[in-house]
Amino acid sequence: MKTLTRKTGLRGTIRVPGDKSISHRAVMFGALAEGTTTIHGFLKGADCLSTIGCFRAMGIDIEEKNEQIYVHGKGLHGLSAPAGTLDVGNSGTTTRLISGILAGQPFSTELSGDASLNSRPMNRIITPLTMMGAEIMSKHGNGCAPLLIHGRPLSAIHYDSPVASAQVKSCVLLAGLYANGETSVTEPALSRDHTERMLRAFGADVRSEGNTCTITPPETLHGQHIEVPGDISSAAFFVVAALITPNSEILIRNVGINPTRAGILEVCRAMNADLTLENVREAGGEPVADIRVRTSRLRGTVIEGEIIPTLIDELPVIALMSCFAEGKTIIRDAHELRVKESDRIAIVSENLTAMGADVIPTDDGFIINSRTTGEQPAALHGASIDCAMDHRIAMTFAIAGLNADGETVITDSDCVDVSYPDFFQQIESLYTQDL
Ligand code: S3P
């Protein structure tokens, strides 16, 4: 449990933990590559540790030394059958990506996670994998994990995905590593492209054209050195904290700004945020920058359409930011928020309302009317926040608590360990350090 109270003047320079999506993929592709993959900046959050646990259980030696992770890959055909059920914890990325790999193995596996994970939709991967000839079943027949996968040779397909989901796209591309020809996926809007970028770096032939990408099964993948940039989804909490907390200025170093992830930066600009990118560069095949943010007088905006997949994980904290913007903010086309670690449309609306905000949940988003009047900030008040064990909800409402009267109590605050174990220490460091 954590209790937050109002603060002003957040100041300091921070580094956020490594990107979660890139950390997962580095371990997975490293395990399937020949030779050793070294990972610098790996996120040691519970989700990525679930991925490590699964590959160790399939015979991959993964060590940590000198602040780096070493994955001793055994090649595309080097995994061995795990002794028991693979534990995917809270991680949708582990589950959906690993299922693509498992579908093509010469052994059977069962995977299962925590209560949240085991209630998330898996038909979105069961459908395309079945089209490829895989044998994959939801154990309880409810379209969710536990999943039973009997690996076998796969057929190449073209898949028209009904959702813009990097997890679905990556699942099909990874199954494509084991298929008998070119496998391609078209998605309705472009989702994060870390799989495509990293598979190319490992030597696979992956082509992207518009919203379609195609993989030709490689003979081998080759171990790489991966520099994991800071996670923009984690940086987002501090971006919003600096924007809405009076008299603040924060510099966040080394954040990944891949265009398929950086929609929040565009939204901040549209909302009149004082946000600048410094030292823009490329590291490990991904664009990175330092982000400087200062308290700003924000204005409402409309967030919809193709930008949604590029900021999907940031929408809870963007909803909070909108409470501090002059006028109305409308967020649409974000149905996917309903099937994340929690129903984020419901839980964000309930908790913001409990804090006194004017938020209307819709089927696919929110309508937020801010109570900002003139120079006055939105009048939120503290509340007890049940975050349904969802890490991004806990962090969103911690930032809300810094900008609310009275006490904000985050009851299940430990769930931040999923993606950001040092989150609360880093918030505290911003009351005490100078730039
Ligand atoms: C992720 C993709 C997104 C995102 C999740 C991580 C990934 O999920 O919400 O946190 O690493 O591929 P969807 O693919 O379900 O949109």
Side-chain angles (χ1 to χ4, degrees):
M1 189 178 95
K2 292 276 184 226
T3 302
L4 290 300
T5 54
R6 187 182 284 289
K7 294 284 180 296
T8 55
L10 302 182
R11 300 209 152 233
T13 300
I14 57 169
R15 278 176 185 272
V16 292
D19 188 280
K20 183 153 82 68
S21 296
I22 295 176
S23 296
H24 280 298
R25 287 161 172 79
V27 170
M28 293 185 184
F29 304 170
L32 301 180
E34 307 277 349
T36 296
T37 289
T38 51
I39 313 172
H40 186 255
F42 180 79
L43 166 64
K44 282 190 264 168
D47 265 17
C48 299
L49 297 178
S50 294
T51 291
I52 287 189
C54 289
F55 281 92
R56 281 190 175 141
M58 292 192 285
I60 302 297
D61 179 16
I62 303 173
E63 315 170 82
E64 184 186 343
K65 51 177 194 220
N66 311 328
E67 292 295 300
Q68 297 208 122
I69 302 289
Y70 293 76
V71 183
H72 301 289
K74 290 193 170 169
L76 283 165
H77 304 284
L79 299 178
S80 46
T85 301
L86 291 178
D87 179 6
V88 291
N90 189 245
S91 177
T93 307
T94 309
T95 311
R96 296 195 178 115
L97 270 61
I98 216 172
S99 294
I101 296 170
L102 294 175
Q105 302 303 315
F107 53 79
S108 298
T109 35
E110 174 168 347
L111 15 124
S112 185
D114 66 12
S116 151
L117 187 281
N118 284 355
S119 64
R120 296 181 65 186
M122 293 298 153
N123 282 336
R124 55 182 56 200
I125 57 160
I126 293 176
T127 301
L129 290 178
T130 305
M131 284 167 67
M132 295 179 81
E135 275 187 64
I136 170 168
M137 266 177 46
S138 157
K139 190 174 181 179
H140 304 309
N142 59 355
C144 299
L147 296 175
L148 301 172
I149 303 176
H150 303 292
R152 43 179 300 163
L154 300 174
S155 316
I157 57 165
H158 171 75
Y159 187 56
D160 256 314
S161 177
V163 274
S165 159
Q167 293 179 356
V168 172
K169 171 174 64 179
S170 304
C171 171
V172 176
L173 292 176
L174 289 171
L177 292 172
Y178 298 95
N180 62 353
E182 285 190 350
T183 293
S184 56
V185 184
T186 301
E187 45 184 353
L190 191 61
S191 65
R192 64 192 66 190
D193 65 357
H194 305 300
T195 294
E196 297 91 302
R197 285 175 186 249
M198 203 187 289
L199 277 177
R200 266 179 221 127
F202 275 79
D205 175 11
V206 180
R207 290 156 337 267
S208 302
E209 221 183 297
N211 295 348
T212 299
C213 60
T214 306
I215 186 165
T216 305
E219 290 284 311
T220 49
L221 297 175
H222 303 284
Q224 297 296 307
H225 174 73
I226 304 289
E227 284 290 331
V228 183
D231 196 325
I232 192 165
S233 300
S234 298
F237 300 106
F238 291 101
V239 166
V240 171
L243 290 175
I244 67 175
T245 308
N247 192 28
S248 299
E249 179 172 348
I250 299 179
L251 180 65
I252 314 167
R253 288 206 193 275
N254 194 41
V255 182
I257 53 161
N258 177 320
T260 62
R261 292 288 300 284
I264 187 173
L265 301 179
E266 241 175 88
V267 165
C268 285
R269 281 184 203 112
M271 293 180 81
N272 194 42
D274 181 351
L275 178 150
T276 45
L277 298 184
E278 299 176 1
N279 199 10
V280 179
R281 60 206 183 273
E282 184 142 325
E286 293 276 346
V288 296
D290 302 337
I291 304 179
R292 186 179 297 276
V293 214
R294 300 186 183 92
T295 312
S296 302
R297 194 159 167 188
L298 301 170
R299 55 172 180 253
T301 188
V302 178
I303 307 169
E304 62 185 350
E306 297 221 327
I307 198 170
I308 293 292
T310 73
L311 45 65
I312 190 74
D313 291 340
E314 291 66 76
L315 284 172
V317 81
I318 290 174
L320 169 67
M321 167 162 72
S322 308
C323 298
F324 291 80
E326 232 163 278
K328 188 193 286 286
T329 297
I330 301 175
I331 301 174
R332 314 191 170 97
D333 302 326
H335 319 79
E336 280 294 300
L337 283 184
R338 297 233 177 243
V339 290
K340 293 295 178 188
E341 287 83 329
S342 67
D343 176 344
R344 288 181 174 163
I345 293 179
I347 202 105
V348 166
S349 304
E350 276 163 28
N351 284 318
L352 281 177
T353 303
M355 295 184 78
D358 180 355
V359 179
I360 303 166
T362 61
D363 268 2
D364 63 349
F366 311 88
I367 301 168
I368 298 161
N369 285 298
S370 103
R371 296 196 177 150
T372 307
T373 46
E375 296 290 327
Q376 294 302 306
L380 294 189
H381 52 76
S384 172
I385 304 297
D386 171 4
C387 40
M389 297 295 290
D390 181 335
H391 56 132
R392 299 201 199 281
I393 302 299
M395 293 187 273
T396 295
F397 285 90
I399 303 302
L402 301 179
N403 286 279
D405 293 332
E407 292 193 336
T408 299
V409 179
I410 315 281
T411 47
D412 38 3
S413 57
D414 288 352
C415 63
V416 302
D417 286 355
V418 160
S419 65
Y420 204 153
D422 294 337
F423 176 74
F424 288 103
Q425 288 94 302
Q426 265 194 331
I427 290 190
E428 256 171 54
S429 79
L430 293 174
Y431 324 147
T432 45
Q433 62 166 322
D434 277 327
L435 269 180

